[in-house]
Amino acid sequence: MLEPWRTGKVIRIEDITPITKRFWIAVDDLERFDFKPGQFVTLDLPIDEKRNKRWRSYSIASWPDGTNVIELVIVLLEGGRGTHYLFNEVSEGSELTLRGPQGVFTLPESLEKDMFLICTGTGIAPFRSMVNYIHQHNVPHRDIHLIFGCRRTMDCLYGVEMKALEKELEGFSYIPTFSREHDNPADIRKGYVHAVYEEIVTKNQLAPASFYLCGWKDMIDQAKEKILSFGYDKHDIHLELYG
């Protein structure tokens, strides 16, 4: 059963990169906005006469904390009517029509296998929610590898936060990799996400694992093909497609 449409108020906006913003939205008619880490909300934006052409869905980047406030992280898309509206017409105090939570891209009941959380760009949003939830609630787990790909270090979303969490959450590793970084700091990894998880899987001798993929179609298609080629089953792969 779908949740009803509700009104949310934007209470804070923060620039995180030149083309990425964080939006904090309070749903005033609820005391608390309950959701499962990994779920998304759909916004109904006034950008078209037809309702289904106005809808844009975004994963919730925050984790359930007992409040009625959620955070979205959104990148400005070239020619994207929805993101251009959000970036140019929405400010603190603006109201947005939203529905949610929705989606089944969520944590399993028991984290009995190693987890690979593989993402690009704002695809990190559901994984930020998941790993913080695991940490806050002391959820028993095996090794968790968050592999995040973007172009340059300046595009690295939540990098400082994830590095700090790496020190606090046992078994959690955060591995950003940059495909177009021209500088050459010794402590960063260059390239694409695929080489990273292949290296870990090979080192671990194909240990039982679950793979969660979130990002653009090309990345997900290539990751699915590679993971299956390792010998894993299609049921080991869970995905959330952007775009």
Side-chain angles (χ1 to χ4, degrees):
M1 181 178 178
L2 284 176
E3 292 288 328
W5 290 101
R6 304 182 188 276
T7 299
K9 180 180 289 185
V10 178
I11 60 172
R12 181 181 170 194
I13 300 175
E14 179 182 306
D15 294 326
I16 188 170
T17 78
I19 59 168
T20 313
K21 292 180 183 286
R22 300 166 70 180
F23 295 81
W24 284 263
I25 302 170
V27 185
D28 288 338
D29 64 339
L30 294 176
E31 288 189 9
R32 52 188 292 161
F33 189 92
D34 290 321
F35 63 96
K36 296 178 180 180
Q39 290 190 302
F40 63 89
V41 293
T42 298
L43 305 182
D44 185 358
L45 304 174
I47 56 175
D48 199 281
E49 292 182 0
K50 295 183 178 180
R51 295 193 72 188
N52 62 344
K53 291 187 177 181
R54 302 199 304 256
W55 296 345
R56 300 291 187 276
S57 295
Y58 300 100
S59 294
I60 302 171
S62 49
W63 51 96
D65 61 1
T67 74
N68 65 350
V69 177
I70 59 172
E71 178 188 334
L72 307 180
V73 58
I74 299 173
V75 64
L76 180 64
L77 300 177
E78 184 176 351
R81 296 170 65 195
T83 57
H84 276 264
Y85 176 82
L86 290 166
F87 274 59
N88 299 318
E89 304 297 333
V90 171
S91 58
E92 292 182 6
S94 295
E95 292 187 341
L96 295 171
T97 301
L98 61 86
R99 182 168 65 189
Q102 298 168 263
V104 295
F105 187 70
T106 55
L107 293 169
E109 290 187 10
S110 179
L111 307 183
E112 298 176 339
K113 301 178 181 179
D114 290 351
M115 294 181 66
F116 288 82
L117 311 179
I118 304 165
C119 58
T120 50
T122 55
I124 195 173
F127 299 148
R128 179 186 184 237
S129 181
M130 289 179 183
V131 295
N132 274 287
Y133 179 84
I134 290 169
H135 178 50
Q136 295 288 334
H137 294 271
N138 296 313
V139 178
H141 62 276
R142 298 184 62 85
D143 288 346
I144 302 172
H145 308 281
L146 174 53
I147 303 167
F148 170 64
C150 60
R151 292 181 177 180
R152 295 173 293 273
T153 54
M154 64 181 290
D155 304 317
C156 191
L157 308 178
Y158 303 113
V160 173
E161 178 186 306
M162 292 297 105
K163 289 298 290 184
L165 188 60
E166 191 175 35
K167 298 177 181 178
E168 298 175 8
L169 180 58
E170 184 177 357
F172 172 62
S173 59
Y174 165 67
I175 312 169
T177 184
F178 306 96
S179 62
R180 298 187 187 178
E181 183 55 66
H182 300 301
D183 294 334
N184 195 31
D187 60 343
I188 72 165
R189 179 160 186 150
K190 293 184 179 181
Y192 296 94
V193 295
H194 310 291
V196 180
Y197 62 77
E198 182 173 12
E199 178 182 304
I200 299 170
V201 164
T202 302
K203 181 180 178 181
N204 292 351
Q205 299 182 327
L206 300 177
S210 295
F211 297 84
Y212 288 75
L213 316 175
C214 189
W216 297 106
K217 185 177 185 301
D218 287 348
M219 184 278 284
I220 287 180
D221 287 347
Q222 187 174 348
K224 285 171 57 181
E225 183 177 344
K226 286 185 72 70
I227 293 164
L228 292 173
S229 75
F230 298 152
Y232 288 98
D233 188 86
K234 64 180 181 180
H235 298 295
D236 295 322
I237 303 173
H238 314 271
L239 58 90
E240 188 79 282
L241 185 65
Y242 276 19

